[in-house]
Amino acid sequence: MKARIQQQQVEYNVEGESQPAEDRVLLASDVDLTAGQPWSAAGYTVAPFLTPAETAALRAGLAEKVREVLRKVGHPVPANWPVEQYHTLIGDNQERHLAVVNFTKEYALEELPVPVARVEQRVSALCGQAVRALNPHNGQRAFHLRLARPGRTDNNPLHRDAWLDRLRDGLNLYFPVAGSTEHSSLTLVPGSHRWPESRTERTAGGAVYNGARYSVPALKASAEPLELVRPNPSADEVLLFSPYLLHGGALNLNADATRISLEMRFWAE
C-alpha cells in the first residue's frame, strides 16, 4: 500500500483476512465529540494543555513511571535518568520490551500525576461539551504510556479505534512525554473519520504488520495513496483526535530517542 508521512514515502505492509467492505460512515450513527468545533473537518486539534506547572508535573511524573518499570524489570536507573534513552537499555530485546509494556499498557487514573478532573476539564473545554475519562462500554478508567523505540516496529499499524466496539463514541488524547518530534510523533490521516468503510480495506480481526502480530484490526489497502501527517504537539500542548480517524503506523524515525507518550480516552458525560 502506498503511503506518505510528511511527504516522505514509507513502506507499509499488512497481512490478514479482509473484512467485507461496507458503504457506510461509522461516525454517521455514532457520537461525534468533534462536532461543532473548528477542527471537526480535520478530526483533530493541537492546543495548549494545562498550566505550565501542571504540565511539568505531568511530564515529570510520567517519566518517573517509566523509570519505575525499568527498575522492576532489572534496570536500576537513577532519578532523572533521561527516559528518551530507553532504547539504549532495551536494545532489540523484544522480550524485555514486552515486559515493560506489560506494566505501561494500563494504569488506573488515580496514578495520573495530576488530578484527572483537571484533564477532563481542559478536554471538555476543547471539545465544547462535558467529557470524562470513563468508558461507558466497559466501565474502564485508565491511561496508557506508549514507548516507541527508534527504528523498531513498536507502533500499531494504521487503524481506527472505532473498529473495536468498546472504543466507539469517544475522543483520544496524545500528550508528548519524551522524544516526540516531527520525526516520531503520532501519524494520522486528516478527515478520514468521515470516510465510508468502502473507501479502504481492513483486516477482519488482528493483523501482521511488518512481520509483527497485532490484535487490533488494521488498514490493509487503499485505492488512493494515503497522506499522513504528524501534528507534533510541543511540550506545552496536547493532541486531541477522533478515534474514527485512521491513525497509527507512526514509525519512530528519530536518530537516537525513544518516543514516549501519554494516551487517554474520553466520552460524553
Side-chain angles (χ1 to χ4, degrees):
M1 183 173 65
K2 293 182 179 180
R4 295 195 303 174
I5 300 177
Q6 307 287 66
Q7 306 300 314
Q8 294 186 354
Q9 198 73 33
V10 294
E11 178 127 357
Y12 188 83
N13 298 302
V14 165
E15 301 171 61
E17 181 182 351
S18 295
Q19 171 92 351
E22 297 179 280
D23 192 24
R24 69 185 183 107
V25 177
L26 295 180
L27 197 53
S29 57
D30 288 2
V31 175
D32 182 4
L33 289 180
T34 76
Q37 298 307 305
W39 46 279
S40 182
Y44 74 93
T45 186
V46 173
F49 195 22
L50 305 173
T51 67
E54 289 169 331
T55 302
L58 178 60
R59 180 170 286 109
L62 294 173
E64 182 55 29
K65 287 193 175 298
V66 175
R67 297 186 194 101
E68 290 171 357
V69 172
L70 284 170
R71 294 170 191 137
K72 287 178 182 178
V73 301
H75 294 285
V77 294
N80 297 321
W81 179 80
V83 292
E84 63 270 21
Q85 291 301 300
Y86 169 85
H87 60 285
T88 64
L89 289 182
I90 301 300
D92 292 321
N93 190 315
Q94 192 66 1
E95 183 178 352
R96 281 189 296 176
H97 174 64
L98 292 177
V100 171
V101 170
N102 190 52
F103 287 102
T104 61
K105 66 183 180 181
E106 185 175 313
Y107 290 93
L109 285 183
E110 290 73 21
E111 294 189 57
L112 199 68
V114 299
V116 175
R118 282 288 296 124
V119 179
E120 292 173 330
Q121 180 184 48
R122 181 58 182 143
V123 174
S124 295
L126 289 171
C127 68
Q129 59 184 297
V131 298
R132 293 184 64 196
L134 170 63
N135 188 331
H137 301 294
N138 59 13
Q140 184 184 55
R141 284 176 56 81
F143 69 89
H144 318 270
L145 290 176
R146 190 173 298 278
L147 295 83
R149 294 166 291 176
R152 282 80 164 185
T153 55
D154 294 340
N155 52 283
N156 283 331
L158 280 168
H159 65 286
R160 304 182 198 265
D161 286 354
W163 284 336
L164 299 174
D165 287 344
R166 62 184 171 82
L167 298 180
R168 295 172 73 158
D169 305 314
L171 190 68
N172 291 9
L173 175 151
Y174 171 101
F175 173 74
V177 177
S180 184
T181 72
E182 68 273 17
H183 303 297
S184 65
S185 64
L186 180 70
T187 60
L188 50 81
V189 182
S192 59
H193 57 318
R194 295 180 179 169
W195 288 5
E197 292 294 283
S198 56
R199 187 165 171 174
T200 57
E201 181 182 348
R202 54 158 281 197
T203 61
V208 176
Y209 169 50
N210 291 337
R213 186 169 296 278
Y214 292 83
S215 59
V216 63
L219 185 70
K220 188 175 179 180
S222 173
E224 61 199 272
L226 294 177
E227 294 289 344
L228 290 87
V229 301
R230 294 189 191 268
N232 189 31
S234 64
D236 61 348
E237 293 179 320
V238 69
L239 165 66
L240 293 182
F241 66 98
S242 170
Y244 295 78
L245 280 176
L246 290 169
H247 67 282
L251 287 172
N252 179 352
L253 302 178
N254 287 335
D256 188 35
T258 292
R259 187 203 86 193
I260 302 173
S261 54
L262 164 67
E263 299 179 6
M264 293 179 67
R265 294 183 173 94
F266 302 84
W267 288 265
E269 283 192 354

